[in-house]
Structures are given as C-alpha cells and as structure tokens.
Amino acid sequence: MLSLGGAHLAALNPLSATSLLASLGALGVFLALFAETGLLIGFFLPGDSLLFTAGLLCTSGSHSVHLSLPVVILAAIGGALLGAQTGYYIGRGGRPLLGRSNNRFLRDGTERAGHLLGRYGYGKAIVLARFIPVVRTVLNPMAGALDVPVRTFTIWQVIGGVIWSAGVTLAGYALGSTIPGIDTYLLPIIAVIVIVSLIPVGLELFRARSASRGPDEARDGDEGASAEGRSADPGETHGSHPARPPARRSR
C-alpha cells in the first residue's frame, strides 16, 4: 500500500490534471486550486481542466481513479476560497510584488486584471477573473494592493469561487454521466477545455491592442490634416506673398 502510494507520488506531474488526481485525489484538487488562486507561483496549474476531469472521474464507470463528487466539490470550493483570500492578504504587502515579476505571463495577467477592475468594477471583475487563467491568480493580490474593502472582496470572491469551482466540476460530472466510455475521449476533452479557457485571454488582448491603436491612428490623422492645411496656405508656399491690389489710375 505504501509502495503504491509512493509510486503515484513519484510519478506526480503538477501540469497534468489526470496525474494530480491519480496521485492525490480530492486533496490534489484542494492544493492545486489553493496554489493557483492564492500563490503567484501557481499560475501555471491546470485549474479548469482539473475541475472538469475531477467531475468526470466522479461518475460511475471503468475509471482507473474514482472520486466522490461531494468530497471533490468541497475540496474545490475550499481551495478556491481559501486561496483567493490568501492572495488578497498577500497583496496587502503592496503592488510592487507583482511589478517586480520577470514572468511575461504574470505581467500580462496583471495588466488584464487591472483592465477588468477598471472596466467592470470590483464585484463583476472578481467574479469574471475566476474564469480567466493567470488573471485569477494575480487579481486577488492586486485587489489587496489596491485596498479593495475586505468585505467587498470576500463577498464577491465567494460568489465567483463557488460558481466557478462547483460549476466546472458539475459540468464534467454531467458530461461523464451522459456519455458512456468518456475515458476514451478524455485527452481531447481536456485540450478543448484548455483552448476554451484561453479564449477570454485572447479577446482581452485583442481589445487592449485595438484600444491602444485607436488613439495613435487618430493622432496620425490630425497630424496629416494639419499638414495639408499648411500646404494649402498660399502665404507659406515657395516664399510667395499675398497679391497687391491694382494701382489706381490718375485722371
């Protein structure tokens, strides 16, 4: 028994949802979600695919790993809520913690998190961030650094955390209960989940680039219009002077 558990731990791959679940079960769900939402070093963990796969493995079938749905949901909610609150208090140390990061993904996530907070306000941004990889990692400490009221943050992070963690898990459970032999399609399904979870990131990047491109194009247009106006001024081209009125004839 101990040797079997040691073999599972030795083969643990934190980037693989199936490896995490096979090695640690529901505890792996709790630890992964806590690290992803509470610690900046956990931005790379597979939150969405982990929850969905855990839901699939809760269905009855010939799975190599079988999990209990109530236990998984409790572990997921606990990890998501405790992690987010921990990240918030870490952020109370100041935003420079995020600004000093040399990781490009964290820097981009910080920019997107700031965009969400500025565009949607505290409540909606905290809930939406749960469904965007990397952003759900950096928004919590950023909220602490920006002095978002504790009560406001806690209420909305609980709402978003429960919807995200329980919702994705139940979606996996529903699909596994509907389609027999779902294990055959597990890898393609996880790939689709990863792609879908990256769509919000791509949309935010596209909007940010479009927004930054707009003022530049408007400024170029204004400069072009002013240049045309100067070239059309007869008093400033080729050193010419305004025409003199005709001399009056003497009678």
Side-chain angles (χ1 to χ4, degrees), residues 22-181:
S23 301
L24 300 174
L27 178 61
V29 175
F30 175 86
L31 294 176
L33 264 60
F34 178 85
E36 187 191 17
T37 58
L39 307 176
L40 292 177
I41 59 173
F43 72 93
F44 61 88
L45 292 171
D48 295 313
S49 58
L50 179 68
L51 291 171
F52 197 88
T53 305
L56 286 175
L57 296 179
C58 291
T59 59
S60 58
S62 57
H63 309 302
S64 58
V65 178
H66 183 76
L67 303 175
S68 169
L69 182 63
V71 175
V72 168
I73 290 179
L74 288 175
I77 292 176
L81 301 190
L82 290 176
Q85 207 69 25
T86 301
Y88 174 82
Y89 285 112
I90 290 176
R92 285 298 182 106
R95 188 171 177 172
L97 180 66
L98 296 172
R100 288 195 301 266
S101 175
N102 294 324
N103 188 282
R104 179 173 60 87
F105 294 102
L106 285 180
R107 291 199 305 270
D108 292 344
T110 301
E111 293 178 4
R112 292 194 297 271
H115 175 70
L116 282 176
L117 287 169
R119 181 177 180 180
Y120 298 110
Y122 293 154
K124 193 173 182 180
I126 292 170
V127 173
L128 289 176
R130 289 288 192 174
F131 298 88
I132 306 177
V134 183
V135 176
R136 61 173 164 257
T137 301
V138 299
L139 185 134
N140 301 319
M142 177 176 284
L146 296 176
D147 292 326
V148 176
V150 177
R151 184 174 181 272
T152 300
F153 175 81
T154 302
I155 290 173
W156 288 108
Q157 77 96 348
V158 168
I159 294 173
V162 171
I163 294 174
W164 171 63
S165 58
V168 177
T169 303
L170 289 173
Y173 179 81
L175 184 64
S177 301
T178 304
I179 302 177

